[in-house]
């Protein structure tokens, strides 16, 4: 069997090495149009920052090493430019000319390429870069060494854009971010992204949201926004997203779907016989709702590469889809998410509830316990977990990985309180934030508690709801008061119930939501109508700082 693999990173190389482990006699050829295979593209921003000191550390494997260990015929600088599915041949372009290569099985792993929106002056610019490969990072670092830029503009506030913004700040540059979406990190919901906005500003990053770069002037040294505002830039990074690299697939008449992605079945087979596809270029099923989507992440690509090798080798493997689990560090904050966000659920008209839990990365009494804000979205009728997001300095990865595993295994919100984790003060809490999210969700499902979201508070107040803040006076003086709130500390509430009018429904808030839940229970058992402000003051004041009186 002769297997040709197009694309030597992530999915392609995972497929090649797995194939060899299963098929010692197969002829396996890997074509890579770039100079490197099996490189750590997720590590590129950290090389710019200097956290990864040696460029060689980005190169996970070399063609020589892969030949020696796996007997793979790896061909860098070899671009596949056409596929003849009827003849089962690939046309390969090299510096020495073109040639044709036959195959029995063909695996496409072309990945995705940066999406660069059209803009006037872009072609004349000499200081604009993208970041997807080792040559890209070489171009950026060489430019910085030669020109010593002082001001940088990052266009796009997704994962790579934020990682590069941090890296450039660490290199001493004055950094500005431009994001067309209403907030940074569009995969996160607005209130969660607000914490990353706060962290960026605390580290001197200027931020423009809801705006786009319309044009470039002075060979890229001036970025013109769609408002007409002009920003100086010595170095500009384009990071507005990626699109599937499907030009080659189209030459074979392969069917494509949403956003031009390659359509595959559960066995990674394309519409052309004996041609398979994996990685960032394929359309996958969002495992939670079964909808077609594109998920450009390294972990799914590597898994798909291994699975397609199993399929070709006759092992019973199916593509079960992906849920999209990702994480990013932005200075001292970490943001992670898995599954569907609130915006996506609203678009699909799914019935859902939300809980925000504020907990600690480990036991609060043990030194250096960091705060974690965890958001979980779920179906209140059957407990299905739709997704989760978390923000914090430490322990965010652990909690999102747990919930991602719960989603993948079909657990419901009812299972979260039952999960058992290792516990000792330096490592966790006896009641982990994941457990607490489960408890809070069950309170909503079982009618023990009712809640409203941060964006509902103002409309509820207009309807006549009274806002009751049960924080202590010292907290109010230190952190500020919510406008229009009645303030009664929780420990005094029972004795001061007469100050709370019974003819109005009540919304209760504290700092994080725990004390306000206790207050809600006190009020309800004294025949008041009460709801809890989910996320409470800590969340609301971050998203709506103008509503806080200092």
């Amino acid at each position: 069997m002769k297997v040709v693999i197009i694309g030597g990173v992530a999915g392609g190389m995972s497929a090649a090495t797995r194939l060899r482990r299963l098929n010692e006699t197969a002829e396996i050829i890997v074509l890579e149009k770039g100079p490197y295979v099996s490189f750590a593209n997720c590590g590129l921003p950290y090389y710019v920052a200097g956290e990864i000191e040696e460029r060689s550390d980005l190169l996970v494997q070399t063609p020589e090493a892969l030949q020696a260990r796996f007997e793979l015929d790896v061909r860098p600088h070899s671009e596949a430019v056409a596929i003849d599915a009827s003849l089962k041949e690939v046309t390969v372009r090299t510096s020495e000319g073109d040639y044709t290569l036959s195959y029995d099985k063909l695996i496409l792993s072309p990945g995705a390429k940066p999406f660069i929106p059209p803009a006037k002056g872009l072609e004349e610019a000499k200081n604009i870069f993208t970041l997807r490969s080792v040559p890209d990072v070489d171009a950026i670092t060489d430019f910085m060494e030669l020109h010593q830029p002082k001001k940088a503009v990052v266009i796009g506030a997704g994962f790579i854009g934020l990682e590069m913004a941090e890296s450039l700040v660490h290199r001493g540059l004055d950094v500005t971010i431009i994001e067309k979406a209403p907030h940074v990190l569009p995969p996160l919901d607005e209130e969660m992204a607000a914490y990353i906005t706060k962290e960026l500003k605390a580290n001197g990053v200027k931020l423009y949201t809801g705006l786009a770069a319309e044009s470039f002037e002075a060979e890229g040294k001036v970025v013109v926004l769609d408002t007409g505002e002009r920003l100086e830039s010595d170095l500009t990074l384009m990071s507005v997203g990626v699109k599937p690299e499907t030009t080659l697939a189209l030459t074979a008449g392969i069917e494509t779907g949403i956003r031009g992605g390659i359509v595959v079945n559960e066995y990674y087979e394309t519409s052309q016989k004996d041609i398979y596809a994996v990685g960032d270029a394929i359309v996958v099923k969002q495992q939670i709702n079964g909808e077609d989507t594109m998920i450009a992440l390294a972990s799914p690509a590597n898994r798909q590469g291994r699975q397609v090798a199993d399929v070709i080798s006759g092992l019973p493997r199916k593509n079960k889809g992906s849920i999209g689990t990702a994480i990013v560090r932005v200075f001292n904050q970490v943001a992670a998410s898995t599954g569907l966000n609130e915006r996506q659920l609203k678009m699909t008209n799914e019935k859902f509830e939300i809980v925000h839990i504020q907990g600690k990365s480990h036991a609060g009494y043990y030194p250096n316990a960091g705060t974690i804000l965890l958001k979980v979205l779920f179906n209140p009728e059957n407990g299905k977990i739709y997704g989760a997001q978390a923000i914090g300095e430490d322990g965010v990865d652990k909690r999102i990985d747990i919930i991602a595993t719960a989603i993948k295994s079909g657990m419901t919100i009812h299972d979260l309180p039952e999960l058992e984790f290792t516990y000792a003060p330096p490592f966790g809490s006896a009641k982990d934030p994941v457990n607490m999210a489960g408890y809070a969700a069950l309170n909503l499902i079982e009618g023990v508690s009712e809640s409203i979201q941060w964006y509902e508070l103002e409309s509820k107040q207009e309807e006549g709801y009274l806002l009751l803040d049960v924080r202590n006076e010292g907290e109010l003086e230190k952190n500020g008061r919510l406008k229009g709130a009645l303030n009664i500390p929780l420990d005094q509430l029972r004795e001061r119930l007469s100050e709370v009018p019974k003819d109005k429904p009540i919304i209760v808030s504290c700092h994080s939501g725990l004390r306000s839940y206790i207050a809600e229970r006190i009020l309800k058992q004294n025949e008041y109508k009460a709801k809890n402000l989910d996320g409470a003051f800590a969340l609301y004041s971050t998203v709506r700082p103008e509503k806080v009186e200092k």
Side-chain angles (χ1 to χ4, degrees):
M1 180 171 59
K2 183 178 182 180
V3 181
V4 174
I5 300 171
I6 298 175
V9 183
M13 198 51 66
S14 180
T17 52
R18 176 65 171 173
L19 268 172
R20 175 56 72 219
R21 290 192 293 271
L22 298 176
N23 301 274
E24 183 62 24
T25 60
E27 182 182 1
I28 303 171
I29 301 171
V30 180
L31 303 175
E32 171 56 48
K33 67 179 180 180
Y36 305 104
V37 295
S38 193
F39 62 86
N41 52 358
C42 294
L44 300 178
Y46 304 105
Y47 175 68
V48 174
E51 293 181 75
I52 297 175
E53 296 181 0
E54 299 296 331
R55 180 181 178 278
S56 58
D57 290 339
L58 298 172
L59 307 177
V60 181
Q61 290 285 1
T62 65
E64 295 76 17
L66 291 165
Q67 170 65 39
R69 178 162 296 181
F70 295 102
E71 202 171 329
L72 301 177
D73 182 356
V74 180
R75 305 179 185 181
H77 299 292
S78 299
E79 181 180 7
V81 294
I83 300 170
D84 190 321
S86 59
L87 295 177
K88 301 182 79 169
E89 288 183 344
V90 178
T91 301
V92 185
R93 179 160 298 161
T94 71
S95 59
E96 298 176 357
D98 295 358
Y99 67 91
T100 58
L101 182 64
S102 64
Y103 63 85
D104 296 315
K105 305 287 185 182
L106 179 64
I107 301 173
L108 303 180
S109 183
K113 59 185 177 181
F115 172 67
I116 303 177
K120 183 180 178 182
L122 191 59
E123 293 183 1
E124 292 78 21
K126 297 180 179 180
N127 63 342
I128 298 179
F129 302 89
T130 59
L131 185 62
R132 289 287 294 179
S133 66
V134 174
D136 289 342
V137 82
D138 288 342
I140 292 170
T141 53
D142 289 348
F143 180 90
M144 294 179 69
E145 184 68 27
L146 181 63
H147 297 282
Q148 298 294 309
K150 302 298 182 185
K151 295 182 178 181
V153 170
V154 176
I155 301 176
F159 292 95
I160 294 175
L162 294 185
E163 288 170 346
M164 278 299 293
E166 178 184 349
S167 296
L168 293 170
V169 168
H170 288 325
R171 291 287 296 263
L173 276 72
D174 181 8
V175 177
T176 299
I177 295 176
I178 304 168
E179 171 56 56
K180 191 173 184 179
H183 59 78
V184 302
L185 278 182
L188 268 63
D189 290 316
E190 180 182 351
E191 80 278 18
M192 305 299 282
Y195 287 82
I196 299 303
T197 294
K198 186 176 180 180
E199 183 71 8
L200 288 166
K201 291 180 177 179
N203 284 275
V205 176
K206 301 179 187 67
L207 187 61
Y208 293 83
T209 55
L211 297 172
E214 186 174 71
S215 62
F216 300 90
E217 297 177 358
E219 297 183 332
K221 286 188 173 294
V222 176
V223 182
V224 184
L225 303 182
D226 49 13
T227 59
E229 186 172 352
R230 300 157 65 86
L231 306 176
E232 294 181 9
S233 179
D234 301 318
L235 183 155
T236 298
L237 180 79
M238 298 288 287
S239 184
V240 297
V242 296
K243 59 181 180 180
E245 179 57 270
T246 56
T247 305
L248 178 64
L250 294 175
T251 69
I254 290 173
E255 180 186 353
T256 56
I258 62 166
R259 291 169 51 193
I262 300 171
V263 173
V264 297
N265 64 13
E266 59 186 353
Y267 301 106
Y268 299 101
E269 296 171 320
T270 70
S271 59
Q272 293 287 7
K273 182 176 173 55
D274 293 323
I275 301 180
Y276 304 79
V278 297
D280 296 353
I282 70 170
V283 176
V284 298
K285 294 294 183 184
Q286 168 50 261
Q287 194 170 343
I288 297 170
N289 60 11
E291 298 290 326
D292 285 349
T293 188
M294 301 286 294
I295 297 177
L297 294 169
S299 181
N302 277 283
R303 179 177 70 249
Q304 293 160 12
R306 179 185 174 95
Q307 289 178 340
V308 77
D310 288 353
V311 169
I312 290 173
S313 302
L315 294 175
R317 297 286 182 268
K318 290 184 179 180
N319 177 9
K320 297 179 180 180
S322 297
I323 62 175
T325 305
I327 191 167
V328 63
R329 185 198 71 194
V330 183
F331 297 101
N332 295 314
Q333 290 290 318
V334 176
S337 65
T338 188
L340 302 174
N341 59 32
E342 188 174 346
R343 183 180 64 258
Q344 291 169 316
L345 289 169
K346 287 179 177 177
M347 290 173 63
T348 57
N349 296 315
E350 294 279 2
K351 188 173 184 179
F352 66 94
E353 288 280 0
I354 302 166
V355 291
H356 292 86
I357 296 297
Q358 187 167 295
K360 295 295 183 180
S361 56
H362 57 253
Y365 58 84
Y366 189 84
N368 302 316
T371 298
I372 295 174
L373 176 64
L374 175 63
K375 176 180 184 177
V376 181
L377 304 106
F378 62 96
N379 186 307
E381 295 177 350
N382 58 24
K384 181 176 180 178
I385 304 170
Y386 289 127
Q389 300 162 38
I391 302 287
E393 293 185 12
D394 182 41
V396 166
D397 53 342
K398 174 180 176 180
R399 276 67 188 197
I400 291 298
D401 285 345
I402 289 167
I403 296 178
T405 302
I407 293 172
K408 275 280 190 176
S409 62
M411 292 182 179
T412 70
I413 205 75
H414 302 273
D415 295 306
L416 297 189
E418 296 295 327
L419 295 178
E420 297 183 21
F421 309 117
T422 56
Y423 165 60
F427 305 105
S429 300
K431 291 182 180 179
D432 190 87
V434 174
N435 298 135
M436 295 304 295
Y439 289 131
L442 288 181
N443 281 339
L444 294 179
I445 290 173
E446 295 169 355
V448 176
S449 178
E450 299 173 81
S451 67
I452 70 163
Q453 293 304 309
W454 62 272
Y455 47 78
E456 299 176 296
L457 178 57
E458 292 166 43
S459 62
K460 291 294 184 184
Q461 288 177 296
E462 291 172 0
E463 292 172 16
Y465 278 76
L466 172 70
L467 178 60
L468 173 63
D469 190 337
V470 297
R471 291 177 296 151
N472 298 325
E473 186 64 34
E475 295 175 88
L476 302 178
E477 293 178 1
K478 179 180 178 182
N479 299 319
R481 301 171 182 266
L482 291 172
K483 291 183 179 179
L486 170 65
N487 299 116
I488 301 177
L490 174 63
D491 293 344
Q492 301 174 20
L493 181 59
R494 290 181 179 89
E495 290 72 32
R496 298 173 60 181
L497 277 176
S498 60
E499 299 176 33
V500 183
K502 271 201 169 181
D503 60 345
K504 288 187 175 184
I506 310 298
I507 295 171
V508 195
S509 177
C510 61
H511 179 74
S512 65
L514 178 59
R515 283 173 293 172
S516 55
Y517 163 63
I518 297 171
E520 178 198 0
R521 294 301 303 151
I522 292 172
L523 291 167
K524 282 185 170 178
Q525 293 177 87
N526 282 276
E527 301 182 347
Y528 287 84
K529 293 181 180 179
K531 297 177 185 287
N532 197 357
L533 177 59
D534 191 32
F537 176 85
L539 177 65
Y540 185 75
S541 62
T542 300
V543 192
R544 294 282 188 266
E546 71 277 6
K547 299 296 183 179
V548 177
E549 295 176 334
K550 293 293 187 179

